[in-house]
Amino acid sequence: MRFELIDAVIEQDAETITAIKNVTAAEEYLADHFPGFPILPGVMMLETLVQAARRLVAGRGDGPTRPLVVTEVRNVKYAAMVKPGQALKVQVGLRQREGDAWSFQGTGTVDDKTAVQARFTLTPLPDTM
């Protein structure tokens, strides 16, 4: 199963990307999170940041040919709930690149309130897999 969480890229340059994830009641995982009070799971907020970072790298033209995977996540903070009918706006910036490792800082907001923020690192999937 593949989750494509980015609905639109609003703005992008070589170092930053801003994108939107529209949350709808039709999303299957919301039925269980939580019954009668659906909210976007925190892990999906984080995955939205990661998917935006992957698009940022792909748009640069100097990224790896193998898929990027999460190798480190730090300082994750969740501060607001995202409900069906709302949009999670994510902004991700490249912090640094060391060899094959790409480090990012990301923030997701809903109605101008921070919903998620994190620092994370992506590296190419190893050849041996």
Side-chain angles (χ1 to χ4, degrees), residues 17-97:
I17 187 170
T18 302
I20 295 288
K21 160 61 179 144
N22 293 306
V23 180
T24 69
E27 295 175 65
E28 232 177 274
Y29 49 82
L30 292 179
D32 295 323
H33 198 269
F34 296 97
F37 188 75
I39 59 171
L40 185 65
V43 70
M44 299 304 252
M45 289 187 216
L46 181 59
E47 177 64 16
T48 304
L49 295 174
V50 169
Q51 288 185 15
R54 285 184 184 127
R55 284 191 183 210
L56 176 61
V57 171
R60 289 172 51 101
D62 64 347
T65 56
R66 295 185 315 275
L68 290 170
V69 295
V70 176
T71 53
E72 182 176 54
V73 178
R74 292 182 171 259
N75 300 335
V76 180
K77 295 179 184 169
Y78 298 101
M81 291 181 266
V82 185
K83 302 173 193 167
Q86 293 181 311
L88 179 66
K89 180 179 180 183
V90 296
Q91 295 176 305
V92 175
L94 178 62
R95 294 180 65 232
Q96 69 179 19
R97 180 180 179 192

